[in-house]
Amino acid sequence: MKIEENKPLDDLNTFGLKVGAQYFVEVNSVQDFVDLMQTEIYKTNEKLILGGGSNILFTNCVNGLVVKNSIKGISVVSDTDTEVIVKANAGEAWHEFVLWCIERNYAGIENLSLIPGLVGAAPMQNIGAYGVEIKDVFQELEAIDIDSGETVKFNLNDCEFGYRESVFKNKYKGKFFIASVTFKLTKLSSPKAIYKFKTDYGDIKNTLSEMRAYELSIKAVSDAVIKIRNSKLPNPKELGNAGSFFKNPTISKEKFEELVSKFPVMPSYPQKNGSIKIPAGWLIEQCGWKGKVVGNTGSHKSQALVLVNYGNATGKEIWSLALEIQKSVKEKFGIEIMPEVNVV
Ligand code: EPU
């Protein structure tokens, strides 16, 4: 384990921003992290834990120590006739983990195919897509308190998962280093397993029939999700981005009724608590931002919610576009859209 100084983070953030860290270290095991905690640099600097860098906007170089989690390994902890408990270390790439499960016919996360980032970052914001969230299959996680070094286990309730939310984005922000995450999945190879594929969201059913996948399997659902994502979301390796920049806002029923009388085609998703979720992508598109290029940045042509770096953008430039978009949505609809990415 080597602590580097003035480390470029250009390849370590999917926006592809040219930024650096005062100190940088890559951690390959829990022991590495324990050893790191003994160093002067660790003790005397602010820490930023980095996963795949796929949900972060650097508006400045980082003063302090960036710790990149690269702890690898996936193992089966236990199983029954119908279920399997799988532990993935935090430094595994999320999509590689999904593929590992698909190969073994372990169902539950196929709808979450192709999400960039690492396993350890998945519970931070309760990643979700196409009708599934990580909380649906979450068993527990192990994390290390970055001040005391104590290992703490978090179960489903402890994580306080919400839509793109968890304790790790709120009261425990910056306080824990997530080491591993454990999931409860369904063993589809077992004749006794009962499992309902989730194909109701958006274009999944249409895509499956376009692909002539008449027999449902987790591989077919995963392939359909991959096809949809590839058609809408820019590949960060080709065009810097961090997926959805904003969260989809929820509004009250009264506010919704007022708006829908003015904008009758406004898409909406009623929530269990009576509030209404509105796709931020639609709001942004209505304000004229979709496909618009502003300097080195802009809102993507196929999905307005994704802000992109056309090559030489700075984090400040992307952030100032985000603020302008936020302001125009507020002016037109009276709705405040909030960033989903972590702005540092
Ligand atoms: N829409 C537009 N214009 C746009 C984009 C979207 O009008 O430019 C409207 C359409 O009505 C569309 C609806 O928004 O039907 C929903 O769009 P989409 O299915 O693309 O989903 P989203 O709500 O924009 C969310 C997640 C994505 C996830 C998809 C699929 C958030 C913030 N984003 O996007 O997650 O992949 O659903 O489940 O919840 C991410 O978090 O980085 C991410 C990509």
Side-chain angles (χ1 to χ4, degrees):
M1 187 182 51
K2 183 170 148 260
I3 300 181
E4 297 173 62
E5 253 182 88
N6 299 320
K7 165 87 174 176
L9 301 176
D10 310 12
D11 296 334
L12 297 171
N13 74 99
T14 60
F15 264 121
L17 298 167
K18 296 179 181 67
V19 286
Q22 188 183 6
Y23 298 109
F24 174 87
V25 67
E26 193 164 350
V27 167
N28 293 299
S29 63
V30 170
Q31 189 57 47
D32 267 1
F33 190 74
V34 173
D35 294 345
L36 176 68
M37 290 189 80
Q38 308 310 315
T39 64
E40 256 334 278
I41 290 181
Y42 185 93
K43 287 181 190 162
T44 55
N45 281 280
E46 290 281 314
K47 272 82 63 183
L48 179 100
I49 314 288
L50 189 64
S54 55
N55 204 45
I56 192 161
L57 178 73
F58 289 108
T59 54
N60 262 314
C61 284
V62 184
N63 267 323
L65 173 66
V66 171
V67 182
K68 165 107 172 80
N69 190 331
S70 292
I71 309 178
K72 298 275 176 15
I74 305 173
S75 56
V76 169
V77 177
S78 63
D79 66 345
T80 64
D81 267 4
T82 55
E83 278 177 348
V84 58
I85 306 292
V86 182
K87 177 172 170 174
N89 284 330
E92 287 287 342
W94 174 261
H95 183 60
E96 295 300 316
F97 173 56
V98 173
L99 295 179
W100 187 95
C101 294
I102 290 172
E103 255 173 50
R104 288 157 182 81
N105 226 353
Y106 298 159
I109 52 173
E110 58 281 0
N111 292 47
L112 303 178
S113 295
L114 213 63
I115 295 185
L118 304 185
V119 166
M124 305 262 313
Q125 54 152 351
N126 182 25
I127 57 168
Y130 306 100
V132 175
E133 287 180 336
I134 201 185
K135 74 167 172 42
D136 305 334
V137 289
F138 179 89
Q139 178 79 4
E140 64 171 25
L141 66 78
E142 253 177 25
I144 304 172
D145 183 317
I146 70 162
D147 295 317
S148 69
E150 188 194 351
T151 299
V152 185
K153 280 192 179 176
F154 288 80
N155 66 21
L156 183 65
N157 280 339
D158 300 332
C159 290
E160 295 176 19
F161 288 126
Y163 163 61
R164 295 296 193 277
E165 287 293 348
S166 77
V167 271
F168 306 105
K169 271 180 92 174
N170 294 293
K171 70 179 177 206
Y172 295 147
K173 191 169 179 182
K175 299 238 179 306
F176 283 96
F177 174 83
I178 295 177
S180 66
V181 188
T182 304
F183 302 88
K184 191 200 264 185
L185 304 169
T186 304
K187 262 187 180 172
L188 275 193
S189 55
S190 159
K192 287 191 196 153
I194 299 169
Y195 186 68
K196 196 170 175 316
F197 289 97
K198 295 182 191 69
T199 57
D200 289 338
Y201 189 100
D203 284 339
I204 296 195
K205 279 201 180 107
N206 289 344
T207 310
L208 283 167
S209 62
E210 263 168 44
M211 289 164 49
R212 298 172 194 275
Y214 301 120
E215 205 169 306
L216 274 183
S217 66
I218 48 175
K219 172 82 169 59
V221 173
S222 166
D223 287 346
V225 167
I226 289 173
K227 195 161 183 248
I228 301 168
R229 289 188 75 98
N230 279 335
S231 72
K232 279 194 187 171
L233 298 167
N235 180 346
K237 288 191 181 120
E238 287 154 21
L239 191 60
N241 75 86
S244 303
F245 194 91
F246 295 98
K247 295 203 278 188
N248 288 329
T250 44
I251 57 175
S252 67
K253 201 153 185 294
E254 294 71 48
K255 172 82 184 161
F256 171 70
E257 271 153 18
E258 174 202 320
L259 281 175
V260 88
S261 62
K262 278 203 252 167
F263 307 99
V265 295
M266 183 168 77
S268 57
Y269 309 106
Q271 303 296 292
K272 281 191 195 122
N273 66 1
S275 66
I276 318 276
K277 193 179 267 185
I278 310 292
W282 185 86
L283 298 169
I284 295 169
E285 180 173 351
Q286 296 304 305
C287 293
W289 292 104
K290 190 173 185 170
K292 199 165 173 178
V293 179
V294 184
N296 298 302
T297 177
S299 150
H300 192 249
K301 61 177 179 1
S302 318
Q303 167 50 293
L305 193 49
V306 177
L307 304 189
V308 299
N309 171 10
Y310 286 108
N312 290 310
T314 61
K316 284 201 171 76
E317 207 176 347
I318 296 176
W319 183 229
S320 102
L321 172 70
L323 292 175
E324 271 199 63
I325 291 176
Q326 191 184 42
K327 188 164 154 243
S328 66
V329 169
K330 176 91 185 163
E331 275 166 14
K332 190 170 170 101
F333 297 100
I335 298 177
E336 188 156 21
I337 52 171
M338 300 306 285
E340 198 235 273
V341 299
N342 185 11
V343 182
V344 294

